[in-house]
Amino acid sequence: ANSMSQQTRITAHRGFRDVFPQNTVAAMRGTSRLGADRIEIDVVATSDGEIVSFHDAKLDDLTDETGTVGETPAETVLEAEVLGSGETIPTLSETLAAVDPNITMNIEFKENGPLSWTEFGEQALAIADGYSGEYYVSSFDPDALRAVRDIDPEIDVAPIFFQNRAENLELA
């Protein structure tokens, strides 16, 4: 086997959430400085179809706002403070703009809100194409990955699996 396949790559999950307020611009800048190979971010859609970097379907546990992201307008979502950090929820564009382009981005499609996965994918990929580094899309939802493949078969996709091994092998 060549040495490249043996190389360990460090991925900062949610932008290194143990050190930085997760999925925020501060996390992207901080993790870029620390020299991670990859950064994993989560993206969800607001009620008016803005793609934002956020992990949960609801705002309640991670911010000073309440409600479901997919039922809340971008104006409110983008002002929500993450974990009392002074950082707010960023758009996907803002998130990618804060990352060193030497870092590969793992953009996890989490919640499509009011959008179809095709609409979500078209919008998110148009934004991601503006990132000068490399990126790929991951998701627990096979429909999200199918939409990415339909939009652009050249984009790498990574299925994320739950614990059902037989189902995972069938899906793979």
Side-chain angles (χ1 to χ4, degrees):
N2 74 33
S3 59
M4 194 63 173
S5 63
Q6 303 300 315
Q7 181 183 355
T8 301
R9 290 184 184 87
I10 297 173
T11 299
H13 182 240
R14 299 190 207 172
F16 203 173
R17 72 175 188 161
D18 291 346
V19 173
F20 303 108
Q22 58 180 289
N23 282 305
T24 62
V25 167
M28 300 309 114
R29 289 189 179 130
T31 303
S32 291
R33 282 195 302 274
L34 292 176
D37 301 299
R38 298 175 182 188
I39 297 175
E40 181 267 356
I41 59 169
D42 306 286
V43 289
V44 299
T46 63
S47 67
D48 45 357
E50 179 75 59
I51 311 291
V52 300
S53 295
F54 193 68
H55 178 271
D56 293 5
K58 290 182 175 255
L59 295 161
D60 304 52
D61 292 341
L62 299 176
T63 78
D64 58 351
E65 289 286 346
T66 58
T68 303
V69 179
E71 296 172 0
T72 306
E75 182 180 15
T76 303
V77 172
L78 296 173
E79 290 179 358
E81 184 179 353
V82 179
L83 298 169
S85 65
E87 288 288 311
T88 52
I89 296 175
T91 64
L92 175 57
S93 307
E94 291 167 334
T95 305
L96 294 175
V99 177
D100 180 321
N102 293 313
I103 297 173
T104 298
M105 294 300 293
N106 170 357
I107 303 172
E108 182 181 337
F109 284 20
K110 273 280 187 205
E111 300 280 341
N112 54 343
L115 306 176
S116 69
W117 277 123
T118 300
E119 293 166 331
F120 185 98
E122 285 171 347
Q123 192 167 328
L125 297 176
I127 295 164
D129 283 341
Y131 177 61
S132 54
E134 294 184 16
Y135 73 90
Y136 62 97
V137 174
S138 63
S139 188
F140 282 99
D141 190 328
D143 291 333
L145 300 181
R146 281 189 202 100
V148 171
R149 278 275 162 83
D150 289 344
I151 295 161
D152 185 349
E154 299 296 305
I155 295 173
D156 289 333
V157 295
I160 308 172
F161 295 125
F162 291 109
Q163 294 175 336
N164 184 331
R165 186 171 290 163
E167 189 179 290
N168 296 344
L169 286 170
E170 185 181 322
L171 185 60

